[in-house]
């Protein structure tokens, strides 16, 4: 079978801010991926770009969906995103054939509580994971954090989580038997006033995050962590998590936390 990317059709595009947008494309019937994985995305070659430019994107839609959704930043001079941000319904997008990644449930040991720390478009793989029934079958509590610069950049995560109660597959799973939320979204901003302000690393260090979530400090006996954002954010947050005694896992050796190793530019 050819390793060349397939040509897919853009189904929908939604712009949230001048920096962020989401889009969905057709999904080949043979395309399979594990929730949380990423895939190479690109656009056809042009007169200016003689070869297709491909970049790694986390799949934001769940593995059961019949379309593929992505959440992207807009980079004015980015080799791919400078063009990708202008796509419209009906346009062609190139889709790689081999999804990979470490932000998958199989890379974590069983635990009680799952934390997902994200900044910016790092929320994308978690948009997939929180729509997967297996996430709630494996953990008693799921807490997603999303830190952005400005309030408008929280639209995607806030709307998605709010709509989950109506989801036919996980709607009943996001609420515990006692009626309390099994899924929590905790948002913070770094540049505008917000109920919670500050970088995720600061919120973890000061204990503010645990206070807001109503949980004890991170404990390797019970807590599992996924981290996705900029390289600096991932490095800093991973170091903090390790300070609590959690160890980084992988597909071949599941442990207490995992990080995303693909970046979009």
């Amino acid at each position: 079978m050819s390793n060349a990317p397939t040509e897919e059709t853009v189904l929908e595009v939604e712009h949230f801010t001048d920096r962020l947008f989401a889009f969905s494309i057709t999904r080949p019937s043979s395309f399979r991926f594990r929730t949380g994985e990423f895939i190479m995305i690109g656009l056809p070659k042009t007169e200016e770009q003689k070869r297709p430019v491909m970049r790694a994107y986390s799949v934001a839609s769940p593995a059961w969906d019949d379309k593929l959704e992505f959440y992207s930043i807009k980079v004015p001079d980015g080799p791919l995103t400078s063009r990708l941000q202008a796509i419209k319904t009906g346009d062609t997008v190139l889709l790689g054939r081999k999804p990979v990644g470490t932000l998958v449930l199989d890379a974590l040991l069983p635990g009680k509580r799952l934390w997902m720390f994200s900044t910016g478009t790092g929320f994308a793989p978690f948009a997939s994971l929180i729509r997967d029934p297996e996430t709630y079958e494996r953990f008693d509590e799921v807490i997603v954090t999303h830190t952005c610069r400005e309030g408008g950049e929280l639209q995607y995560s806030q709307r998605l989580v709010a709509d989950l109660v109506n989801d036919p597959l996980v709607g009943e799973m996001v609420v515990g038997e006692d009626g309390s939320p099994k899924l929590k979204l905790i948002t913070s901003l770094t540049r505008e006033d917000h109920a919670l302000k500050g970088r995720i690393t600061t919120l973890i260090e000061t204990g503010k995050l645990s206070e807001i979530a109503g949980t004890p400090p991170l404990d390797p006996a019970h807590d599992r962590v996924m981290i996705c954002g900029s390289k600096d954010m991932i490095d800093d947050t991973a170091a903090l998590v390790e300070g609590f005694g959690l160890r980084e896992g992988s597909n071949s050796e599941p442990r207490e936390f995992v990080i995303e190793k693909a970046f979009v530019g």
Side-chain angles (χ1 to χ4, degrees):
M1 185 178 70
S2 171
N3 288 323
T6 59
E7 294 188 355
E8 304 304 324
T9 303
V10 176
L11 300 174
E12 187 177 357
V13 182
E14 182 174 6
H15 295 268
F16 296 98
T17 70
D18 59 358
R19 296 183 66 250
L20 299 170
F21 72 108
F23 63 97
S24 60
I25 63 174
T26 51
R27 175 179 179 173
S29 57
S30 60
F31 186 82
R32 298 288 183 272
F33 72 99
R34 291 182 300 169
T35 304
E37 288 187 318
F38 63 85
I39 188 69
M40 301 302 288
I41 288 288
L43 292 172
K45 61 183 180 181
T46 64
E47 286 297 322
E48 293 77 23
Q49 293 181 332
K50 301 299 183 182
R51 298 177 60 184
V53 178
M54 307 287 288
R55 292 289 186 270
Y57 272 80
S58 292
V59 182
S61 47
W64 51 261
D65 205 339
D66 58 4
K67 65 180 183 301
L68 296 173
E69 181 181 328
F70 301 93
Y71 186 44
S72 179
I73 193 170
K74 304 176 186 179
V75 182
D77 55 353
L80 176 60
T81 53
S82 59
R83 291 178 56 203
L84 192 64
Q85 63 184 288
I87 59 172
K88 297 179 174 58
T89 301
D91 286 351
T92 297
V93 167
L94 303 179
L95 176 71
R97 292 180 182 269
K98 187 178 180 181
V100 292
T102 51
L103 285 184
V104 293
L105 296 173
D106 289 342
L108 293 173
L109 293 171
K112 175 184 177 182
R113 185 181 299 110
L114 176 60
W115 293 86
M116 303 176 182
F117 298 138
S118 71
T119 56
T121 54
F123 178 78
F126 303 149
S128 178
L129 282 154
I130 62 176
R131 287 185 275 183
D132 188 330
E134 187 178 356
T135 301
Y136 304 98
E137 292 167 356
R138 292 199 183 199
F139 296 95
D140 297 333
E141 191 175 5
V142 180
I143 304 173
V144 190
T145 75
H146 193 198
T147 300
C148 295
R149 300 189 306 180
E150 302 165 354
E153 298 174 349
L154 295 174
Q155 292 180 67
Y156 181 73
S157 60
Q158 289 177 325
R159 185 178 68 189
L160 193 154
V161 171
D163 288 346
L164 275 185
V165 292
N166 301 313
D167 188 280
L169 271 185
V170 301
E172 294 183 356
M173 304 180 83
V174 299
V175 178
E177 293 182 0
D178 60 356
S180 62
K182 189 170 181 178
L183 169 68
K184 295 178 183 176
L185 172 66
I186 299 175
T187 60
S188 68
L189 296 179
T190 58
R191 294 192 180 180
E192 289 184 351
D193 288 336
H194 192 62
L196 189 59
K197 193 169 182 179
R199 298 178 66 217
I200 185 62
T201 47
T202 303
L203 300 176
I204 295 172
E205 284 180 303
T206 60
K208 187 67 176 178
L209 182 61
S210 293
E211 178 187 329
I212 293 293
T215 65
L218 291 175
D219 181 346
H222 304 292
D223 293 292
R224 302 295 174 259
V225 172
M226 293 179 161
I227 306 170
C228 191
S230 67
K231 186 178 186 306
D232 287 344
M233 174 270 188
I234 290 176
D235 290 345
D236 293 346
T237 309
L240 271 177
V241 167
E242 287 178 332
F244 285 94
L246 281 70
R247 303 164 301 165
E248 184 179 351
S250 65
N251 284 285
S252 59
E253 191 172 3
R255 287 186 172 175
E256 292 84 25
F257 82 93
V258 288
I259 66 173
E260 181 57 275
K261 296 180 180 179
F263 308 100
V264 174

